[in-house]
Amino acid sequence: MKITKEIIERIEGEATLELQWHEGVIDFAKIKFFNFRGIEKILEKRVLYDAIAITPRVCGICSHSHALASVLAIESCFKNAGDVLHISQKAQDIREIILNAEKIQNHIKWYFFTIFSELQKLSNTPFEGNAFKDKAWFHAQKAIVESLKMGAIFSGQWPHGSFALPGGVTCDPVRSDFIMAQNTLEGIVAFCEEYLYGMPLEEFLSFSSALQVMSSVRRLSYGIETMIELGFDRIGRSHDRFLALGDSFLYEEPSKAVKTTVLSADSKHVHESLEHTFFSDTHKGYTYSKSAQYRKNYFEVGPLARMMIGKDVLIRDFHRRFKDATLTRVVARMSECAHLLLRTRELLSHCDITMPSFIPPKANPHDLCGEGIGIIEASRGSLIHKVNVLYGHIHSYDIITPTVWNLGNGDKENPSVAQKAIMGLDSIEKADFVFKSFDVCSVCTTQ
Amino acid sequence: MEHAKLYERLAERLSKLEKFPRIKEDKSIATLMEEHGISRRDFMKWAAGVTAMLSLPSSFTPLMAQAAELTDRLPVVWLHMAECTGCSESLLRTDAPTIDSVIFDYISLEYHETIMAAAGWQAEHNLESAIAKYKGKFILMVEGGIPAGATENYLTVGPHGQTGFASAKKAADAAAAIFAIGTCSSFGGVQAAYPNPSNAQALSKVTSKPVINVPGCPPSEKNIIGQVLHYILFGTLPALDAYNRPKWAYGLRIHDLCERRGHFDAGEFVQEFGDAGAKKGFCLYKVGCKGPYTFNNCSRERFNQHTSWPVQAGHGCIGCSEPDFWDNMGPFEEPLGNRLYHTVYGEGADKTADKVGVTLLAATAVGIAAHAAIAAIKGSGKTEE
């Protein structure tokens, strides 16, 4: 048996794939992350609200998701202690706008700087895979900048803004702020329509068949065509089990899906495992990343999971044709981007600025005792923060990031989501691309 | 130095620099700008902005533009240590005005894990050959804290599993100038917060060479690119403060140029998040703003294309460009002067000040707290009536 080691770059941080080969086919893959900072340990004994400033610094690309998850966790502590906080609709809307801005930029960035350039590299063009050489880069870069600017109007900065607290948001935007945000959003929509979808958003979202998407000659359809040419419509399939534990406008309640059957889900069945990590065994362990399971099964989280649970007609059609192959995963993310743009447009135009931004909790946070859980649907999937608080100080803090769901390590008999997708492939290049289709972020995975 | 003389000196330095070969022969920065649709006019406007930021007279704008075009003579190696990639996000692909990132992408050598084209073994090779080829000539930029000592292997990079400590040390030894980008590589960062599980250290602990710190979590992209241009213009270290931060960026406190400063002086404070004062944009000191103790130019430069910054969004500054802000500045929603109860990082303002070792901080804390208290009786009371 041959074992090869592959370093995966051009992701957030660095990852290593150790591939075990059997007769030219990948028999098993170990996913390794060699960085550890110990953020959960650092949070212990700190004042509860410190989590809102420290947890965003887990990740530079989904920092606002972490900020919001920690706020939700603390709000649920208040609730469990008998003080149900009322979060005004305005504050909820602003939180969602900020979160959407983060997801939109992430999706565009991932497609234009990772997926698209990888595809060009794979399809044998004399192209080294440097996205910056591509003309569309400049426009994509601009759209990303604009997307973050739109969020920053409300959050103050990106990354690592301090904009949310238990009780609401700190900003008090006026009408002109919303007009500026709307204007900025339209710039991003124009970019996506021109370069990504090749048609108005509404038209794209009205589609119910994969063939309709491929009819337009733009970046997305180019990507789909190339993926089909390279066979990514048949490979990269995983367990076909999906999970979304946070709230989203795409579906009614947190759910799980096995193939196309959707059932409600509860975070109490989530189990985090230390297996294969250096923490459980310093000699046999091989990574710093934990793994997460739901009722002892690995579930995929992220845009594809959300779209499947939301029973999105278009993605269901892709799923019917290609199952949960790499192609479906990529299209789901880009399709979610269109949904997010429309949703944000709606939020910006309907937000009622006369409502209060912040309603302070009645209980004193320094006296708070109990537990709380906050779940956010971040760019890469369900992000869970669990806190146990004792007289206003953090007793323990647990962060389960989306990448822990997708990129954990199981066994050969029960592989994790990404492992299952990689097993059976016949080349390193394919494994690399399939791995990247999960939108890898090593800093979150290990924190 | 008189402006005319300084101008002459800088012009001379630039003309010398011009004689050096480009790192990539095929293209100049000017052609690159043109290709990306950036007009000369936009470029000059940008140069004027940077000139003002570095506190140089506006007549230096052409020099700044020339310096920007000469950035291709000085390659940059960017290393990632233990961090969140937020600084790269800040600079490379996100809130950076596109001119900054075009320049930066062009001058940065083939070692930036997040964006580089090559991967794995090839990447490692590129880094080594870049260090060898440009020995003593490149600018090293490091992002992230560096696990050291017994926990050194909490961070390993590349196919040979080299520790972050070793790779940073190796690169630092061969660099012409070393910039620590962000609070992590400047002071250790949040991962160095008590109890510092990975024993993360600042870059300055890894090398004996002088390190210029550009802290902030994240630092503003303006400060990063400004530092590069400053080095190209002057060829020397900028005036630094006690924590090796360039004074042109970190010379003033957030508080000094804060848009809410008038309210502070008038004694108008937000007493609680969500109150009438918050709606009116009053001073955030009493809800924990650390602007009076934090040296940075956020209040002037802002973030995300000058769109906003935390204080504008209604939350106080958390002091993220100060050493040990994670242990010294919390709780972030309460004033420093009021901290009386026990926390993981000690008790009260005086003890904090002791730990930081800056008496100025204590004096300021007490002074500011006294002002806030007096103002509460005199000012805010009146406005609320």
Side-chain angles (χ1 to χ4, degrees):
Chain A
M1 188 173 66
K2 186 173 79 167
I3 293 180
T4 61
K5 193 162 83 168
E6 186 68 8
I7 308 285
I8 311 290
E9 302 269 9
R10 209 128 48 80
I11 54 173
E12 299 290 320
E14 186 183 279
T16 304
L17 275 184
E18 188 185 302
L19 305 172
Q20 296 174 7
W21 299 81
H22 184 71
E23 290 174 1
V25 169
I26 297 169
D27 199 32
F28 187 60
K30 288 179 179 173
I31 303 167
K32 303 176 175 185
F33 293 98
F34 297 124
N35 49 311
F36 173 68
R37 291 174 289 158
I39 302 287
E40 289 166 351
K41 184 85 191 149
I42 286 166
L43 285 166
E44 285 172 16
K45 297 186 194 160
R46 272 169 202 275
V47 173
L48 183 57
Y49 279 26
D50 277 13
I52 307 167
I54 290 185
T55 56
R57 285 160 172 91
V58 162
C59 181
I61 191 153
C62 57
S63 66
H64 286 168
S65 304
H66 279 280
L68 286 170
S70 69
V71 166
L72 291 188
I74 297 172
E75 280 171 355
S76 103
C77 282
F78 276 109
K79 188 181 164 198
N80 294 342
D83 182 7
V84 181
L85 302 189
H86 174 70
I87 314 297
S88 71
Q89 190 57 45
K90 172 179 145 189
Q92 289 182 36
D93 288 354
I94 291 176
R95 284 180 183 183
E96 195 182 332
I97 292 167
I98 293 170
L99 184 65
N100 288 357
E102 185 170 277
K103 289 195 212 173
I104 292 167
Q105 64 90 19
N106 180 75
H107 291 357
I108 298 177
K109 195 181 276 178
W110 173 79
Y111 191 76
F112 280 87
F113 296 162
T114 302
I115 292 302
F116 190 72
S117 53
E118 287 291 328
L119 282 176
Q120 283 184 294
K121 198 165 84 180
L122 284 172
S123 58
N124 285 329
T125 47
F127 178 79
E128 291 168 350
N130 189 345
F132 293 92
K133 300 265 194 300
D134 185 2
K135 287 272 182 232
W137 164 74
F138 186 72
H139 299 284
Q141 162 81 355
K142 194 154 175 266
I144 291 162
V145 169
E146 294 286 292
S147 175
L148 294 167
K149 181 178 166 182
M150 180 189 74
I153 293 172
F154 306 98
S155 66
Q157 72 179 66
W158 188 93
H160 306 336
S162 310
F163 60 93
L165 284 174
V169 289
T170 59
C171 63
D172 240 311
V174 290
R175 182 47 62 200
S176 64
D177 290 321
F178 280 94
I179 294 169
M180 190 165 129
Q182 281 171 319
N183 193 18
T184 316
L185 181 77
E186 290 315 314
I188 312 162
V189 171
F191 161 79
C192 289
E193 290 179 344
E194 168 75 26
Y195 289 92
L196 186 61
Y197 306 114
M199 65 191 82
L201 281 185
E202 290 83 356
E203 193 186 337
F204 177 79
L205 290 174
S206 69
F207 288 167
S208 57
S209 160
L211 299 175
Q212 289 171 298
V213 180
M214 290 153 71
S215 65
S216 150
V217 194
R218 277 293 178 270
R219 286 295 192 280
L220 182 60
S221 46
Y222 171 87
I224 295 173
E225 250 171 58
T226 319
M227 276 186 279
I228 291 176
E229 273 168 31
L230 296 167
F232 287 108
D233 53 336
R234 293 181 304 276
I235 60 173
R237 287 179 187 163
S238 189
H239 295 289
D240 219 352
R241 289 193 292 260
F242 309 101
L243 188 68
L245 292 168
D247 291 323
S248 166
F249 65 94
L250 292 165
Y251 46 81
E252 277 171 15
E253 56 165 4
S255 308
K256 62 174 179 173
V258 179
K259 294 192 168 63
T260 50
T261 318
V262 180
L263 294 163
S264 65
D266 193 324
S267 60
K268 72 180 178 198
H269 299 299
V270 173
H271 168 72
E272 196 181 30
S273 151
L274 289 178
E275 228 182 319
H276 308 298
T277 65
F278 294 119
F279 310 110
S280 66
D281 189 328
T282 38
H283 299 295
K284 283 187 191 157
Y286 53 77
T287 178
Y288 284 113
S289 63
K290 302 172 193 172
S291 43
Q293 291 177 313
Y294 184 87
R295 281 184 188 270
K296 296 198 175 152
N297 279 316
Y298 289 106
F299 278 80
E300 177 170 349
V301 297
L304 175 57
R306 291 193 281 262
M307 303 302 272
M308 287 302 289
I309 286 165
K311 298 181 185 170
D312 182 79
V313 190
L314 178 63
I315 297 307
R316 283 243 165 151
D317 186 59
F318 271 93
H319 184 266
R320 189 176 60 78
R321 294 165 197 263
F322 311 112
K323 298 286 176 265
D324 57 340
T326 306
L327 172 67
T328 318
R329 200 168 290 125
V330 172
V331 177
R333 192 178 290 266
M334 296 335 286
S335 169
E336 187 185 67
C337 184
H339 283 279
L340 286 167
L341 287 166
L342 270 198
R343 168 74 177 175
T344 312
R345 184 190 270 170
E346 199 182 297
L347 287 171
L348 285 172
S349 58
H350 289 111
C351 190
D352 179 2
I353 56 166
T354 59
M355 285 184 182
S357 289
F358 187 87
I359 304 165
K362 287 181 206 75
N364 184 347
H366 294 312
D367 300 330
L368 207 59
C369 287
E371 283 181 356
I373 181 165
I375 308 175
I376 281 286
E377 279 302 321
S379 316
R380 294 170 176 78
S382 306
L383 167 67
I384 306 175
H385 280 213
K386 275 192 234 176
V387 60
N388 194 323
V389 55
L390 210 59
Y391 296 105
H393 288 72
I394 296 166
H395 182 66
S396 65
Y397 206 99
D398 187 23
I399 302 171
I400 302 177
T401 57
T403 37
V404 164
W405 285 98
N406 289 339
L407 311 173
N409 281 291
D411 302 317
K412 211 165 164 182
E413 294 70 40
N414 184 20
S416 76
V417 176
Q419 282 175 324
K420 167 99 175 156
I422 290 170
M423 283 158 68
L425 301 182
D426 56 9
S427 80
I428 289 173
E429 288 73 30
K430 283 180 187 165
D432 182 277
F433 187 77
V434 169
F435 188 60
K436 280 181 177 148
S437 75
F438 287 98
D439 199 354
V440 182
C441 172
S442 86
V443 291
C444 256
T445 319
T446 52
Q447 12 109 15
Chain B
M1 201 183 288
E2 273 174 44
H3 287 155
K5 266 191 190 160
L6 181 66
Y7 191 97
E8 218 170 274
R9 208 189 85 191
L10 299 184
E12 200 183 323
R13 171 168 162 79
L14 290 182
S15 63
K16 269 188 200 158
L17 203 58
E18 209 171 3
K19 295 194 183 96
F20 281 96
R22 288 197 186 106
I23 44 173
K24 294 165 196 164
E25 279 302 326
D26 55 335
K27 235 177 246 176
S28 71
I29 296 249
T31 16
L32 198 73
M33 296 276 170
E34 210 179 288
E35 266 179 27
H36 279 119
I38 299 165
S39 68
R40 187 74 192 164
R41 188 185 168 83
D42 285 341
F43 179 59
M44 291 311 284
K45 273 200 299 202
W46 170 88
V50 182
T51 312
M53 189 178 72
L54 291 174
S55 308
L56 292 170
S58 60
S59 58
F60 281 47
T61 303
L63 272 188
M64 188 60 69
Q66 200 193 346
E69 284 172 345
L70 290 177
T71 45
D72 60 359
R73 264 65 167 187
L74 279 172
V76 165
V77 170
W78 183 294
L79 290 182
H80 284 268
M81 295 291 135
E83 38 85 46
C84 70
T85 66
C87 303
S88 312
E89 291 299 334
S90 178
L91 175 71
L92 280 167
R93 299 183 295 173
T94 57
D95 59 24
T98 34
I99 297 181
D100 293 358
S101 35
V102 166
I103 292 182
F104 197 82
D105 169 57
Y106 184 79
I107 61 172
S108 93
L109 285 175
E110 309 297 325
Y111 202 76
H112 190 295
E113 293 160 16
T114 319
I115 55 151
M116 59 187 286
W121 300 89
Q122 181 61 33
E124 181 80 359
H125 175 73
N126 286 351
L127 174 66
E128 277 171 11
S129 66
I131 289 180
K133 188 173 169 195
Y134 296 101
K135 195 168 175 13
K137 286 189 200 125
F138 66 90
I139 299 175
L140 174 68
M141 294 191 157
V142 177
E143 176 186 354
I146 302 160
T151 49
E152 200 177 312
N153 56 1
Y154 275 17
L155 174 77
T156 59
V157 286
H160 300 296
Q162 196 176 31
T163 63
F165 188 93
S167 89
K169 192 166 171 34
K170 202 163 141 191
D173 287 345
I178 309 170
F179 304 155
I181 303 300
T183 302
C184 293
S185 59
S186 298
F187 307 126
V190 282
Q191 52 274 348
Y194 179 85
N196 195 352
S198 58
N199 190 24
Q201 298 294 335
L203 180 63
S204 53
K205 299 274 169 66
V206 171
T207 171
S208 51
K209 287 183 160 180
V211 175
I212 300 171
N213 291 331
V214 187
C217 191
S220 119
E221 73 283 355
K222 288 269 172 219
N223 290 353
I224 305 175
I225 203 79
Q227 189 45 50
V228 173
L229 290 171
H230 188 285
Y231 183 75
I232 286 171
L233 268 181
F234 291 85
T236 51
L237 299 184
L240 299 172
D241 74 356
Y243 296 115
N244 270 19
R245 298 177 290 197
K247 275 188 180 163
W248 60 263
Y250 301 88
L252 290 175
R253 292 171 306 168
I254 299 270
H255 189 57
D256 295 336
L257 290 172
C258 179
E259 61 201 40
R260 299 186 186 222
R261 177 60 186 263
H263 293 294
F264 174 85
D265 293 342
E268 294 168 336
F269 292 95
V270 174
Q271 304 287 345
E272 185 183 40
F273 286 110
D275 70 3
K279 285 194 187 69
K280 289 178 190 153
F282 284 1
C283 173
L284 295 162
Y285 173 75
K286 289 191 172 183
V287 284
C289 183
K290 306 297 186 288
Y293 325 111
T294 308
F295 291 82
N296 204 339
N297 55 2
C298 311
S299 41
R300 192 177 57 197
E301 294 299 328
R302 302 186 189 181
F303 290 87
N304 300 75
Q305 296 179 297
H306 296 276
T307 303
S308 185
W309 63 299
V311 168
Q312 189 177 334
H315 190 286
C317 161
I318 63 168
C320 74
S321 57
E322 291 301 307
D324 298 337
F325 83 88
W326 46 89
D327 287 346
N328 290 335
M329 295 291 188
F332 300 113
E333 281 78 25
E334 286 165 35
L336 204 53
N338 284 18
R339 207 171 76 206
L340 295 170
Y341 48 85
H342 185 76
T343 69
V344 66
Y345 23 71
E347 286 173 74
D350 293 339
K351 190 163 178 184
T352 308
D354 256 7
K355 239 170 96 181
V356 182
V358 183
T359 12
L360 177 73
L361 182 70
T364 329
V366 173
I368 299 273
H371 172 82
I374 297 164
I377 307 164
K378 280 187 175 172
S380 300
K382 226 187 292 166
T383 42
E384 272 169 24
E385 273 167 18

